[in-house]
Amino acid sequence: MTDDSTQGIHATIGIDRGEFTLDMSLTVAPGEVVAVLGPNGAGKSTLLRGLVGLTPIDRGSIRLDDVVVDDPDADVLIEPAKRRIGVVFQEYRLFPHLTVEDNVAFGLRSAGFGKQAAQVASQEWIDRLELAALRARKPGELSGGQAQRVALARALATKPRALLLDEPLSALDIATRQDVRTHLSGHLRQFAGPTVLVTHDPLDALVLADRVVVLEGGRVTQEGTTHEVAQRPSTPYVASVMGLNLLRGKALAGIVQLDDGGELQAPDASTVGPVLVAIRPAAISLHAHRPEGSARNVWQGVVDNIQPVGDRVRVSVSASPSVVVDVTRSAVVELGLVRDTSVWLSTKATELEVYAG
Amino acid sequence: MTRRSRSATSPPWPVALPAVLALAFLTLPVIGLLVRTPWGHLLDILTSKTSLDALRLSLETSIAATIIAFLVGVPLAWLLARSEFVGRRLARALVTVPLVLPPVVGGIALLLAFGRRGLVGQYLDSCCGITLPFTTPGVVVAETFVAMPFLIITVEGALRGLDSKLEDAAATLGAGRWTIFRRVTLPLIGPSLIAGAVLTFARALGEFGATITFAGNLPGVTQTLPLAVYVGLEGDLDQAVALSLILLLVSIAVLVGLRDRWLRTGSAS
């Protein structure tokens, strides 16, 4: 780990699968956790199969530390078994006929360790992931969270050069997900190699990753620290999963003319030209009558849809601009909100994030 | 309510009548066998030398045929299910031929291939002094020929139905192809392996046509249970019926065993 530029994952990946093509670059430093975030069908699984070696890439190259594992131009293709990439699969893929202990020891057995030696060597991971009490169980007798820990122990026991996690929390029910996510975060911090986390859940990315790569339609649409991406989403997908309104327009002298109609007052006049405007749904207020007060941005619209989200209610309003607004349940009653109710919207200029896009 | 559901499920007589006839037709012979069984001196008949010889020979050859089919049939099933090679479709078609071929024809075909003057048999004879026709190994050859397709087809089906996800996972853990086959694939298709082996054994046990054609009918050497039943029919009917009863019991045991334990969980998830 002396020279970071040669260590970690350096990949340029092009894969054709019929109509769909994946073309992207990915660099992950040792000790770094990168989340690849994208909707279904974005190419996340294809990327993962390419990295692991289950699908040979058609263009580009994949380098893991100082070893090229796939490079079609140079006719290099190292098979999955020899890449030493630990994978935690979606649904975990534990071997149903083997006990927890034998699942964890599987990689070591495959590496040529005898049964005894493999069990001794896997003991460390059994202990670290608190699996000692479950060692004799079969995967069918485990809860989702336990199965996930077994999958992680099984991957880490092979001492992999890199770790890949494919939707590691999607198989869990919501009640246990938060807890497991926190645990997982701790284990990922301890792993010294590069980690790639493939997910469609922005919360996974926010909690577990240092950096986010957003993948849509086989292309990277945004890349940055989780904070940057959450604050300044550059596509409607990122905005919607991160719970933001994202509007496109042109800024001039502190006023943004929106491409889809309407205009908004920016917090300042510093940004000029094509911009993106991000507004948190909770930063917009709804009113029955034209509001008095300090809010600089006031416009009128019609309620399109009402959706309870936790203890809040997300209201979509058709207007110029159309936005989603988070309000309290009592506000819905007070304002008598139903579909097609006419409402006024307001938001302070200071609530707007305006940035060049 | 009761009236309605009864009228809804009771079939019209043009269906019911032939159905009952078919059921009777299939069960009456078995009942006839049971009625005609010489229960009084059944034990004496079954412990006679002819019976014991035939029983022992049948068990030995059927088990041998099942083992051979297992050792070469499972790899062939894997090849047919998992690898791409020229003529794979043809190979799969050829595998099923013994299933539909009349066993007597199979016996003649075996003679032409492995007989003393046969395609391969002449060399077996001249180089190694191996003669298959009219020997106990010949019985095993005939039974394997007829029964092995059951194993191949069962196992190939299971391999096709098996999700490759677990095998992929094993590969990422550093397992080579042989390790994956041995430690993941085989255990996962275990139920189908057993089902295929049981079907193969049952088919081998009942083999008649190919055996009598290729291996003859020598008491103690090639006279298996079905052949002893056939011979008994000419002379000692009681013996034929008693030995038939044994074959019937084995068949029922196979059916019950397969239905309750293996067929339903054919490909484990």
Side-chain angles (χ1 to χ4, degrees):
Chain A
M1 223 199 284
T2 46
D3 182 1
D4 275 3
S5 65
T6 65
Q7 299 297 301
I9 299 171
H10 296 263
T12 310
I13 293 179
I15 296 176
D16 301 323
R17 297 195 112 180
E19 296 283 287
F20 179 83
T21 65
L22 171 74
D23 271 297
M24 68 177 295
S25 293
L26 184 70
T27 304
V28 190
E32 188 185 29
V33 180
V34 170
V36 176
L37 178 69
N40 289 335
K44 302 191 298 288
S45 301
T46 307
L47 165 70
L48 197 119
R49 291 181 65 84
L51 286 172
V52 173
L54 294 170
T55 302
I57 63 172
D58 297 305
R59 293 175 297 284
S61 69
I62 302 172
R63 189 157 55 79
L64 188 57
D65 294 342
D66 42 12
V67 182
V68 175
V69 294
D70 195 348
D71 185 345
D73 288 337
D75 208 19
V76 173
L77 179 63
I78 294 182
E79 60 181 290
K82 303 218 166 101
R83 291 197 183 187
R84 294 189 49 211
I85 299 178
V87 187
V88 174
F89 289 96
Q90 194 173 6
E91 317 289 341
Y92 312 131
R93 303 195 192 176
L94 300 177
F95 304 120
H97 58 290
L98 298 179
T99 60
V100 165
E101 189 169 35
D102 288 342
N103 263 283
V104 176
F106 187 93
L108 295 160
R109 292 291 309 276
S110 302
F113 283 76
K115 195 174 169 68
Q116 288 279 310
Q119 277 180 4
V120 170
S122 57
Q123 185 62 42
E124 178 193 348
W125 297 101
I126 301 250
D127 291 340
R128 272 216 219 175
L129 287 142
E130 296 158 38
L131 297 169
L134 309 171
R135 66 195 323 151
R137 291 206 195 164
K138 294 279 180 68
E141 304 161 331
L142 300 176
S143 72
Q146 292 167 341
Q148 198 242 26
R149 299 211 305 274
V150 177
L152 191 61
R154 185 179 71 171
L156 289 172
T158 60
K159 299 225 184 304
R161 287 192 290 216
L163 189 60
L164 263 55
L165 300 105
D166 186 7
E167 306 275 4
L169 300 161
S170 65
L172 306 175
D173 57 75
I174 291 171
T176 58
R177 201 175 288 176
Q178 189 57 50
D179 197 36
V180 173
R181 191 184 278 122
T182 310
H183 266 88
L184 181 61
S185 175
H187 291 296
L188 295 186
R189 297 285 149 229
Q190 287 170 26
F191 180 65
T195 300
V196 177
L197 165 76
V198 164
T199 183
H200 72 278
D201 185 344
L203 208 50
D204 291 351
L206 288 169
V207 175
L208 300 170
D210 305 308
R211 210 148 54 77
V212 182
V213 172
V214 181
L215 192 61
E216 292 177 68
R219 303 289 183 278
V220 173
T221 53
Q222 191 170 8
E223 217 177 323
T225 65
T226 48
H227 183 73
E228 280 167 14
V229 172
Q231 290 298 305
R232 304 194 154 190
S234 65
T235 73
Y237 162 73
V238 182
S240 73
V241 296
M242 296 289 191
L244 286 172
N245 290 298
L246 190 72
L247 308 165
R248 200 176 278 280
K250 283 188 188 63
L252 188 65
I255 303 287
V256 181
Q257 289 289 340
L258 299 169
D259 290 358
D260 295 325
E263 63 176 51
L264 291 169
Q265 186 92 40
D268 55 55
S270 63
T271 314
V272 175
V275 290
L276 287 169
V277 181
I279 318 172
R280 288 180 303 109
I284 303 173
S285 311
L286 293 183
H287 316 268
H289 306 286
R290 187 182 178 93
E292 310 290 334
S294 62
R296 303 291 297 275
N297 291 304
V298 174
W299 71 105
Q300 201 176 7
V302 174
V303 172
D304 198 38
N305 189 31
I306 299 176
Q307 174 99 38
V309 182
D311 58 344
R312 309 277 292 179
V313 178
R314 184 165 276 198
V315 183
S316 11
V317 183
S318 189
S320 295
S322 295
V323 287
V324 293
V325 182
D326 282 356
V327 296
T328 60
R329 285 170 185 272
S330 58
V332 173
V333 178
E334 268 170 42
L335 293 168
L337 294 182
V338 290
R339 233 182 111 94
D340 294 328
T341 308
S342 182
V343 289
W344 284 87
L345 304 99
S346 74
T347 184
K348 293 176 183 167
T350 50
E351 294 283 4
L352 270 54
E353 275 261 350
V354 179
Y355 48 98
Chain B
M1 177 66 199
T2 356
R3 286 181 63 143
R4 272 193 55 155
S5 69
R6 194 183 298 162
S7 66
T9 53
S10 67
W13 70 264
V15 173
L17 192 63
V20 169
L21 276 175
L23 188 64
F25 176 69
L26 290 176
T27 45
L28 277 176
V30 177
I31 293 169
L33 186 69
L34 292 174
V35 168
R36 183 60 185 76
T37 299
W39 299 103
H41 51 292
L42 186 63
L43 207 62
D44 294 339
I45 297 173
L46 291 180
T47 51
S48 73
K49 182 164 169 19
T50 318
S51 299
L52 285 178
D53 277 352
L55 196 59
R56 177 187 50 78
L57 189 68
S58 266
L59 285 177
E60 283 172 4
T61 54
S62 300
I63 289 170
T66 306
I67 291 172
I68 292 170
F70 205 85
L71 291 179
V72 297
V74 173
L76 178 56
W78 190 88
L79 219 62
L80 291 176
R82 287 298 172 83
S83 67
E84 294 289 335
F85 60 91
V86 182
R88 190 180 65 165
R89 292 167 68 104
L90 181 66
R92 186 182 298 130
L94 290 175
V95 162
T96 54
V97 165
L99 281 182
V100 289
L101 196 70
V104 179
V105 179
I108 290 173
L110 284 169
L111 268 178
L112 295 177
F114 299 110
R116 294 187 68 165
R117 305 249 175 85
L119 209 55
V120 182
Q122 55 180 315
Y123 301 111
L124 285 177
D125 192 35
S126 62
C127 89
C128 330
I130 295 175
T131 314
L132 287 174
F134 310 107
T135 63
T136 306
V139 176
V140 177
V141 168
E143 289 178 350
T144 308
F145 178 77
V146 172
M148 187 159 65
F150 285 89
L151 185 78
I152 296 172
I153 284 171
T154 311
V155 175
E156 194 209 344
L159 284 171
R160 282 183 181 283
L162 186 69
D163 196 333
S164 64
K165 281 179 172 179
L166 288 168
E167 292 165 308
D168 286 350
T172 67
L173 291 164
R177 296 180 123 211
W178 170 240
T179 307
I180 293 174
F181 181 68
R182 196 171 45 86
R183 294 203 58 208
V184 178
T185 315
L186 279 186
L188 287 177
I189 60 165
S192 299
L193 287 178
I194 296 171
V198 170
L199 282 172
T200 303
F201 176 78
R203 180 66 186 89
L205 195 69
E207 214 317 289
F208 178 84
T211 310
I212 202 166
T213 314
F214 182 61
N217 185 14
L218 310 169
V221 182
T222 68
Q223 193 183 78
T224 56
L225 273 181
L227 302 194
V229 169
Y230 182 71
V231 170
L233 214 51
E234 311 269 278
D236 185 352
L237 187 61
D238 278 357
Q239 171 156 328
V241 174
L243 293 178
S244 298
L245 189 70
I246 301 231
L247 287 169
L248 176 68
L249 289 178
V250 172
S251 311
I252 289 172
V254 166
L255 263 184
V256 170
L258 284 185
R259 196 203 54 206
D260 285 357
R261 304 260 313 263
W262 298 308
L263 280 189
R264 235 179 324 179
T265 56
S267 60
S269 65

